[in-house]
Amino acid sequence: MTMSPMELPDQDGSGSESSSHRARRGFSRRAFVGGAAASAVAAAGISLVSGLTPSATAASLRMPEGFGSVSTAPQLPAGFARTFTSRFIQAGGLRQHAVIGGDGPPLLLVHGWPQNWYAWRMLMPELARKYTVIAVDQRGIGLTDKPQDGYDTRTLANDLIALMDALGHQRFAVVGHDTGMFLSYALAADHPDRVERVALVEVPGPPGLAPSPELITVAEGLNNRLWHIPFNRVNHPLTEQLVRGREDIFFGYEFDIQGGEKLPGYALDYYFRLFSDPDSLRGSFGFYRAWGTTVEQNQNRPSQKLTMPVLAIGGSESWAHYVGDAMTPLADDLQSAVIPGAGHWIAEQAPNEMLAALTPFLAPYRTAAASRSVR
């Protein structure tokens, strides 16, 4: 039986892990070192937050509270704010916002467009039972800095490497959706020594490596789902001018046209407000305006296939098996899953089913990490 992501089992009434669950996990070197470091940090008047290693604390003392943080997010799963905390982390010359919590080996969640960390909210409590979950806002989006450039996938991947360095995580697993799938592919291809496993969700391959339909001749239904790509690529204030003040129309269409059950109104309103900020709107187009650079980078990446385990996930009402088909020539160790009834927004439309796909794929990573921690 797949557990509902709204539940946090093995938690006591305060939202902390119960003593019985700790006993089942057993004593570990990681817990001992972390506890000793926590005592030293506490003596200095600094509190450690769940999911942050001691080495990360100095880099992430400020707790964000503005719109886009945990404290302002609507209708989170029960107990969410007791497990997860918004943090600012200065890394790679960029102030990055991440929502962090849980215990275990690190699991990095990379959202798509037009979303932020909040897209993962339904999966995060269940994942936090076994992993230190790090749901980051990409450069240009949410509470992360929004510079004028640096939106190609090589730079975005380096942002995430800097983030994980600052948090003290040498090796980690990754789940990336939509534009986050493109970014996660680049992260795994450019830094194979850092990524142990990667799940790539709901786009049919990285730009430049998958068939690119000509929008002039493509079927109407496909055109309706893809037209935003050339629109967003227009490197001119025109795009912001056309969308500003009409975020509900523009982004609402995108959420509706991509298949599956419609997202709840509170989530749509949250995303509309998130991208009503002019800098966030511009930053969200940055990924698309760097599309040509990303294509050039991707054309050099397949010279060596991904060697770590890869899971390709599609929604049956969206890209379905095409995600796995696109990754077949790019990965040596590929698994595929199609989530029945789900459209493009799988983590919000079918969280239990997505957890059911991720759980067996990630399990060997957790087992190997546990083995290393007791040596």
Side-chain angles (χ1 to χ4, degrees), residues 46-99:
I46 299 171
S47 63
L48 279 173
V49 175
S50 172
L52 289 182
T53 63
S55 62
T57 305
S60 53
L61 293 178
R62 186 177 171 192
M63 186 179 299
E65 295 181 348
F67 184 78
S69 68
V70 169
S71 63
T72 61
Q75 300 197 32
L76 293 171
F80 190 96
R82 294 195 298 270
T83 301
F84 293 98
T85 309
S86 278
R87 306 303 300 178
F88 279 139
I89 299 98
Q90 194 69 33
L94 196 72
R95 190 186 72 171
Q96 302 189 50
H97 172 241
V99 176

Side-chain angles (χ1 to χ4, degrees), residues 135-373:
V136 63
D137 285 350
Q138 294 178 33
R139 171 188 292 245
I141 292 177
L143 292 175
T144 291
D145 281 348
K146 303 164 183 65
Q148 294 293 324
D149 52 19
Y151 293 92
D152 60 280
T153 53
R154 179 173 296 149
T155 303
L156 292 170
N158 288 339
D159 286 346
L160 299 185
I161 289 295
L163 172 72
M164 300 305 275
D165 283 344
L167 293 175
H169 301 307
Q170 178 62 28
R171 291 183 62 79
F172 48 91
V174 184
V175 182
H177 169 256
D178 188 72
T179 57
M181 183 274 206
F182 300 153
L183 171 49
S184 297
Y185 167 73
L187 182 63
D190 294 356
H191 303 278
D193 58 321
R194 304 295 298 274
V195 177
E196 291 209 21
R197 287 180 174 247
V198 59
L200 304 174
V201 186
E202 245 310 287
V203 281
L209 299 181
S212 299
E214 294 291 338
L215 295 184
I216 295 175
T217 59
V218 75
E220 179 180 355
L222 193 57
N223 181 79
N224 291 346
R225 295 172 59 195
L226 297 176
W227 74 276
H228 69 279
I229 296 176
F231 177 85
N232 292 357
R233 288 183 66 184
V234 175
N235 195 3
H236 190 278
L238 169 71
T239 51
E240 290 99 309
Q241 291 166 359
L242 290 174
V243 174
R244 194 173 301 129
R246 305 177 183 87
E247 292 85 3
D248 58 334
I249 298 173
F250 179 67
F251 293 115
Y253 175 87
E254 286 301 317
F255 282 111
D256 287 349
I257 200 65
Q258 301 298 339
E261 183 179 353
K262 185 173 181 178
L263 299 191
Y266 69 82
L268 294 174
D269 289 343
Y270 175 86
Y271 293 129
F272 299 159
R273 180 178 173 186
L274 186 74
F275 291 99
S276 67
D277 173 74
D279 287 336
S280 290
L281 185 60
R282 172 189 54 78
S284 81
F285 290 144
F287 180 94
Y288 295 91
R289 289 169 174 170
W291 193 275
T293 302
T294 290
V295 167
E296 292 177 5
Q297 294 169 355
N298 279 341
Q299 289 171 348
N300 292 321
R301 287 178 174 130
S303 58
Q304 183 171 344
K305 290 184 177 183
L306 298 184
T307 55
M308 73 287 293
V310 177
L311 173 62
I313 303 178
S316 67
E317 306 307 303
S318 183
W319 292 112
H321 65 87
Y322 290 104
V323 185
D325 292 349
M327 290 307 302
T328 297
L330 303 177
D332 282 334
D333 184 358
L334 178 67
Q335 304 171 41
S336 296
V338 176
I339 307 300
H344 184 64
W345 319 104
I346 295 180
E348 294 176 274
Q349 293 170 327
N352 287 337
E353 292 78 3
M354 186 168 180
L355 283 168
L358 287 174
T359 297
F361 174 71
L362 292 172
Y365 162 62
R366 182 172 184 265
T367 300
S371 177
R372 289 194 297 267
S373 70

